[in-house]
Amino acid sequence: MIKDNYKRIPKHIGIIPDGNRRWAENNKLEKHKGYTHGIKPGFQLYEIMLEYGIKEATFYGFTQDNTKRPKLQTQAFVKACVDAVEILANRDANLLVIGNTKSSVFPNELLKYANKRVNFGRGLININFLVNYDWNWDLNYAINGINSYKNKKTNIYDHIASVDISRIDLIIRWGGRRRLSGLLPVQSVYSDIYIIDDYWPDFQKEHFLNALDWYQTTDITLGG
Amino acid sequence: MIKDNYKRIPKHIGIIPDGNRRWAENNKLEKHKGYTHGIKPGFQLYEIMLEYGIKEATFYGFTQDNTKRPKLQTQAFVKACVDAVEILANRDANLLVIGNTKSSVFPNELLKYANKRVNFGRGLININFLVNYDWNWDLNYAINGINSYKNKKTNIYDHIASVDISRIDLIIRWGGRRRLSGLLPVQSVYSDIYIIDDYWPDFQKEHFLNALDWYQTTDITLGG
């Protein structure tokens, strides 16, 4: 197995596929045309993650804040997310879509995958897809609509909207920005963060391999 | 003013002063001897931040997880935090200590600065100091001991233990590790993150200037 060549394989990888609009501009396309070029890289990475024995991956689809962008762009990234899921439905994954389904911008096509994990094929990897996600919505879920936590020993992680998403070991961000942009604040507290300057549509296998090589050099302390 | 030479000055900087133990080992000292060498850099940085018009800074002192380390180390970093605050008390800052005061490891000397901002001298900068902090404790504060949020419109940020700490614009971490290690998950969701490979006791003014130069090249989108 390839994975035997590595001392550490992250169990759960977070993917921030940024730079689609900047890629489009560099390629003399209108900004919104970039998103559709982000689908193929996602499946290239999916295949590589299967090859390397990754058990769980979270893709940052779009956020509620993102939907304040021009309508043409919003429509384009929503469509790219729907198209990606429809392709994934013919592969071998367990899909969990997490996001605010109560907003009109949440795509109807994805409602059947929202907030419960759905099996496709042989279910070789857990894929989490953040669709109309918002960090504040995720955390507020723990404090809104509840009766009382009084006198109960309880932990916020058990009550957030993304409770079914595990802690992230490694976050890989494309597009050069060095920040988390609200990606799962609870699950990312101890994540190692690797930044790739290339834009997401320019994904190459080497990006993943470089991240994995770097990950070998980090230690896990979980704050200890 | 120096700050007029910059397009963007971060309002609030988060400081992760990591690498004290590795610095000690490199300098043929026992690991726990490193922490006391972290105090002088803190005040060098404090002076530079005043010079550059920074309004608020959060220093990551120690976490509840850190106190699982050997006793000699724990005693050393607790003492370094107390010593730092006693020096700061003769400077010009508004200090807010945030951390779990109910644990025996929280230093008695700092109780009077805990969970309320205390003015020193001319109060030129807000300094937040995380002492026996824990991200989970911070967030759980919002859901424990409350009666009911039912039917109330509420936001988690208004209820966490660190509610009086503002959103962080720029996080600078020394010691080469590329992660947040549980630093204020709510306030750091949109923070730009700059990593310095040198260990914290080897602090140089150039580190700060490099971070500030890099910060000029980033854009603020807050997810938009």
Side-chain angles (χ1 to χ4, degrees), chain A residues 63 65-66 69 135-136 139-140 142-144 146-150 152 154-156 177-182 185-186 189-194 214 219 221-224, chain B residues 63 65-66 69 135-136 139-140 142-144 146-150 152 154-156 177-182 185-186 189-194 214 219 221-224:
Chain A
T63 66
D65 282 331
N66 292 158
R69 293 178 186 171
W135 69 270
N136 201 23
L139 300 187
N140 280 346
I143 61 170
N144 285 313
I146 56 169
N147 284 307
S148 176
Y149 289 113
K150 210 173 179 178
K152 273 186 259 178
T154 191
N155 189 303
I156 191 155
R177 291 185 177 139
R178 305 184 200 172
R179 56 194 180 217
L180 295 181
S181 300
V186 166
V189 288
Y190 297 129
S191 308
D192 285 301
I193 305 165
Y194 189 82
W214 171 75
D219 65 331
T221 62
L222 301 181
Chain B
T63 65
D65 282 331
N66 293 157
R69 292 178 186 170
W135 69 269
N136 201 23
L139 299 188
N140 280 345
I143 61 169
N144 286 312
I146 56 168
N147 284 308
S148 174
Y149 288 113
K150 210 175 179 177
K152 274 187 256 179
T154 191
N155 189 303
I156 192 157
R177 291 186 178 138
R178 307 185 199 171
R179 56 193 179 217
L180 296 181
S181 299
V186 165
V189 288
Y190 298 128
S191 306
D192 285 301
I193 305 165
Y194 189 82
W214 170 74
D219 64 331
T221 61
L222 301 181

Side-chain angles (χ1 to χ4, degrees), chain B residues 79-95:
Chain B
K79 183 174 187 309
C81 289
V82 172
D83 291 350
V85 167
E86 288 177 351
I87 297 170
L88 189 69
N90 293 303
R91 303 293 180 96
D92 299 293
N94 302 307
L95 175 67

Side-chain angles (χ1 to χ4, degrees), chain A residues 98-111:
Chain A
I98 293 285
N100 187 351
T101 56
K102 289 181 182 153
S103 138
S104 63
V105 79
F106 188 95
N108 286 326
E109 297 91 328
L110 301 188
L111 279 174

Side-chain angles (χ1 to χ4, degrees), chain B residues 2-186:
Chain B
I2 284 172
K3 66 183 205 177
D4 295 336
N5 298 330
Y6 290 88
K7 189 178 56 169
R8 301 172 66 202
I9 292 283
K11 184 183 165 293
H12 181 182
I13 297 181
I15 308 292
I16 305 182
D18 195 24
N20 295 280
R21 292 183 294 174
R22 286 173 283 162
W23 180 91
E25 285 186 304
N26 277 4
N27 286 274
K28 317 281 182 212
L29 297 170
E30 292 168 272
K31 282 184 182 179
H32 72 278
K33 301 276 191 190
Y35 296 111
T36 188
H37 292 271
I39 298 176
K40 189 177 163 195
F43 284 95
Q44 291 175 306
L45 180 53
Y46 162 84
E47 293 292 346
I48 294 167
M49 288 193 294
L50 289 186
E51 189 184 351
Y52 281 77
I54 309 303
K55 300 295 181 202
E56 184 167 3
T58 295
F59 284 84
Y60 212 174
F62 67 91
T63 65
Q64 292 183 214
D65 282 331
N66 293 157
T67 66
K68 297 170 191 160
R69 292 178 186 170
K71 195 174 173 185
L72 210 57
Q73 291 180 27
T74 299
Q75 288 174 335
F77 62 64
V78 171
K79 183 174 187 309
C81 289
V82 172
D83 291 350
V85 167
E86 288 177 351
I87 297 170
L88 189 69
N90 293 303
R91 303 293 180 96
D92 299 293
N94 302 307
L95 175 67
L96 175 65
V97 172
I98 294 285
N100 186 351
T101 57
K102 289 180 184 155
S103 141
S104 63
V105 79
F106 189 95
N108 285 326
E109 298 92 327
L110 301 189
L111 279 173
K112 60 187 167 194
Y113 308 117
N115 305 313
K116 60 173 188 291
R117 202 172 284 284
V118 179
N119 172 258
F120 299 140
R122 290 174 293 162
L124 299 176
I125 185 171
N126 281 2
I127 298 284
N128 312 312
F129 201 24
L130 305 184
V131 172
N132 202 35
Y133 175 83
D134 177 75
W135 69 269
N136 201 23
W137 163 83
D138 189 6
L139 299 188
N140 280 345
Y141 197 86
I143 61 169
N144 286 312
I146 56 168
N147 284 308
S148 174
Y149 288 113
K150 210 175 179 177
N151 302 324
K152 274 187 256 179
K153 272 214 169 191
T154 191
N155 189 303
I156 192 157
Y157 196 168
D158 299 326
H159 300 282
I160 58 178
S162 61
V163 56
D164 292 329
I165 299 183
S166 74
R167 203 184 65 227
I168 302 178
D169 301 302
L170 171 63
I171 293 171
I172 311 179
R173 180 172 187 143
W174 276 261
R177 291 186 178 138
R178 307 185 199 171
R179 56 193 179 217
L180 296 181
S181 299
L183 174 73
L184 298 168
V186 165

Side-chain angles (χ1 to χ4, degrees), chain A residues 18-216:
Chain A
D18 195 24
N20 295 282
R21 291 183 295 175
R22 287 174 283 162
W23 180 90
E25 284 185 306
N26 277 5
N27 285 275
K28 317 282 181 213
L29 296 169
E30 292 169 88
K31 283 184 182 179
H32 72 279
K33 301 276 191 190
Y35 296 111
T36 189
H37 293 270
I39 298 175
K40 190 177 162 194
F43 284 94
Q44 291 175 307
L45 180 53
Y46 163 84
E47 294 291 345
I48 294 167
M49 289 193 293
L50 289 187
E51 189 184 351
Y52 281 77
I54 309 303
K55 299 297 181 201
E56 185 167 1
T58 295
F59 284 84
Y60 211 174
F62 68 90
T63 66
Q64 291 183 215
D65 282 331
N66 292 158
T67 65
K68 297 170 190 160
R69 293 178 186 171
K71 196 175 174 186
L72 209 56
Q73 291 179 26
T74 299
Q75 289 174 332
F77 62 65
V78 171
K79 182 174 188 309
C81 289
V82 172
D83 290 349
V85 168
E86 289 178 351
I87 297 170
L88 189 68
N90 293 304
R91 303 294 181 95
D92 297 295
N94 302 306
L95 175 68
L96 174 66
V97 171
I98 293 285
N100 187 351
T101 56
K102 289 181 182 153
S103 138
S104 63
V105 79
F106 188 95
N108 286 326
E109 297 91 328
L110 301 188
L111 279 174
K112 60 187 166 192
Y113 309 116
N115 305 314
K116 61 174 187 292
R117 203 173 283 286
V118 179
N119 171 258
F120 298 140
R122 290 174 293 162
L124 299 176
I125 185 171
N126 281 1
I127 297 285
N128 312 311
F129 200 25
L130 305 183
V131 172
N132 201 38
Y133 176 83
D134 177 76
W135 69 270
N136 201 23
W137 163 84
D138 189 6
L139 300 187
N140 280 346
Y141 196 86
I143 61 170
N144 285 313
I146 56 169
N147 284 307
S148 176
Y149 289 113
K150 210 173 179 178
N151 301 325
K152 273 186 259 178
K153 271 215 169 191
T154 191
N155 189 303
I156 191 155
Y157 197 168
D158 300 326
H159 299 282
I160 58 178
S162 61
V163 57
D164 292 327
I165 299 183
S166 74
R167 206 185 63 228
I168 302 178
D169 302 302
L170 171 63
I171 293 171
I172 311 178
R173 181 173 186 141
W174 276 259
R177 291 185 177 139
R178 305 184 200 172
R179 56 194 180 217
L180 295 181
S181 300
L183 175 74
L184 299 168
V186 166
Q187 289 90 338
S188 66
V189 288
Y190 297 129
S191 308
D192 285 301
I193 305 165
Y194 189 82
I195 307 295
I196 288 165
D197 286 330
D198 289 333
Y199 301 136
W200 171 246
D202 286 329
F203 171 83
Q204 297 173 39
K205 185 172 183 176
E206 284 63 37
H207 295 160
F208 176 83
L209 296 180
N210 291 342
L212 197 57
D213 284 344
W214 171 75
Y215 189 69
Q216 306 309 304

